[in-house]
Amino acid sequence: MGLRDLTDEITEAVFPSNIYCEVCGSLIDRSRPYALCDKCVTRMHWITGSTCGVCGKALPDTYRGFDESGRQVCYDCRTRAHYFTRGWSCLSYGLHEREVMMAIKYNGKGYLARKMGDIMFDRMETLIEEARRQGIKPFDMVIPVPVGQKRLVKRGYNQSEFMARQFLRRWADADRESEFDPTCPKLETHILGRSRETAMLRSMNPEERRLALRDAFAVNPALAHRIEGRSVLLIDDIYTTGATADSCSKTLLEAGASEVYLLTLASGGNRRPKDE
Ligand SMILES: [Zn+2]
Ligand SMILES: [Zn+2]
């Protein structure tokens, strides 16, 4: 047994996965995907149709909005430029998604974040496979959005880091099964940090969020050389206005990253969501 498996076993013991559907509490077994019962899986808002070519949010079928290069782009991204190059998202942030996020962030169900990492990998699998076939390494490294020290102590973990770890575990597994060269990026959890504590964003409008997050992140100077000229995939749980993703991306680009991409579990509109 490798150290990684051992860590897994310990996590499993501390955060047991299985038995009950995380949304409705129905009895399930371990074979059910993402710790959700069949009913709740169908109730989640999976992003399968057309998406914004910039942030990855779902677009309504009737939506018609394009940027100069002819990409379909959501209203928010047409009115505001982003620092990240492109984003992907797995779910539209609705009631069920919110319940899952609340369980992960406030009810100590950190193991669920790993299930969410599975969702993220499944979302990206086609793209990863295509890149591998073409001999392209899509990203040099994965960086989870860091949480503030106070929140980290209170929660005991960074949910985005749990998601990123599982996402990369699945990617490494897929590499091993592939006949092509491995493409799995490295996980970097010490390069990007919070430079200060920030207020809760939940009640803020987009402009307030941007102000609250200005210079809230920093690159560790001792590790800055690692991102020089490298592409980064930033991983976060929820995307709403993009203020967090932009603040992180700006910091990484200023420190020398070549490009920043973004993968989020769930995304929603600017309707002042209850939590971020
Ligand atoms: Zn259920
Ligand atoms: Zn967008």
Side-chain angles (χ1 to χ4, degrees):
M1 186 194 290
L3 184 60
R4 200 188 72 182
D5 301 317
L6 187 65
T7 315
D8 268 4
E9 293 232 325
I10 293 165
T11 315
E12 188 66 29
V14 180
F15 306 115
S17 58
N18 74 357
I19 321 219
Y20 299 105
C21 167
E22 287 307 330
V23 176
C24 71
S26 301
L27 200 63
I28 53 170
D29 62 68
R30 271 172 193 262
S31 68
R32 287 286 169 276
Y34 318 134
L36 300 168
C37 75
D38 295 346
K39 219 180 203 169
C40 289
V41 162
T42 57
R43 275 194 202 133
M44 300 283 267
H45 304 87
W46 304 95
I47 296 179
T48 52
S50 63
T51 56
C52 171
V54 177
C55 71
K57 268 186 209 174
L59 295 173
D61 291 339
T62 51
Y63 181 85
R64 296 285 174 268
F66 301 90
D67 68 2
E68 319 78 72
S69 58
R71 275 192 304 190
Q72 272 226 315
V73 171
C74 77
Y75 178 77
D76 295 338
C77 291
R78 281 168 73 201
T79 46
R80 178 185 289 280
H82 293 294
Y83 287 95
F84 56 88
T85 305
R86 195 206 188 293
W88 296 270
S89 193
C90 311
L91 297 155
S92 286
Y93 196 57
L95 211 61
H96 293 281
E97 289 76 13
R98 183 166 182 273
E99 276 181 49
V100 173
M101 283 318 303
M102 296 298 273
I104 291 173
K105 289 164 84 166
Y106 305 110
N107 295 333
K109 297 188 175 177
Y111 67 89
L112 261 184
R114 291 160 61 216
K115 306 283 178 193
M116 303 301 112
D118 284 331
I119 292 179
M120 288 170 145
F121 180 78
D122 292 344
R123 176 85 178 100
M124 298 296 278
E125 194 172 15
T126 313
L127 183 128
I128 290 169
E129 272 179 11
E130 189 49 42
R132 187 187 283 128
R133 254 195 299 277
Q134 295 184 25
I136 298 167
K137 248 192 131 180
F139 320 106
D140 291 313
M141 70 190 73
V142 164
I143 296 184
V145 169
V147 295
Q149 196 55 35
K150 265 195 211 158
R151 253 161 258 167
L152 188 63
V153 168
K154 207 168 165 189
R155 193 175 296 154
Y157 49 82
N158 174 359
Q159 70 281 358
S160 297
E161 185 179 326
F162 274 17
M163 291 177 199
R165 283 189 190 280
Q166 181 64 12
F167 171 75
L168 291 174
R169 192 172 288 141
R170 291 281 309 279
W171 191 330
D173 288 347
D175 273 355
R176 271 192 290 277
E177 282 169 22
S178 167
E179 53 181 306
F180 300 103
D181 289 340
T183 59
C184 187
K186 282 185 298 186
L187 178 72
E188 294 281 6
T189 56
H190 298 293
I191 290 181
L192 186 68
R194 295 256 178 182
S195 52
R196 56 180 168 82
E197 296 287 333
T198 51
M200 291 296 267
L201 302 175
R202 62 175 68 161
S203 58
M204 296 184 190
N205 69 34
E207 274 321 308
E208 290 165 341
R209 284 172 186 233
R210 268 165 216 283
L211 267 173
L213 287 167
R214 183 177 289 168
D215 302 322
F217 298 93
V219 164
N220 180 346
L223 302 176
H225 62 277
R226 287 201 210 160
I227 56 168
E228 191 73 51
R230 300 301 174 90
S231 65
V232 176
L233 177 66
L234 195 63
I235 286 192
D236 204 2
D237 49 4
I238 304 168
Y239 181 96
T240 47
T241 64
T244 305
D246 273 329
S247 188
C248 289
S249 302
K250 182 170 182 276
T251 304
L252 291 167
L253 290 171
E254 283 172 356
S258 60
E259 276 184 303
V260 180
Y261 295 88
L262 175 70
L263 174 59
T264 57
L265 177 68
S267 52
N270 286 346
R271 289 163 293 127
R272 292 169 63 109
K274 289 286 180 291
D275 49 77
E276 183 173 10

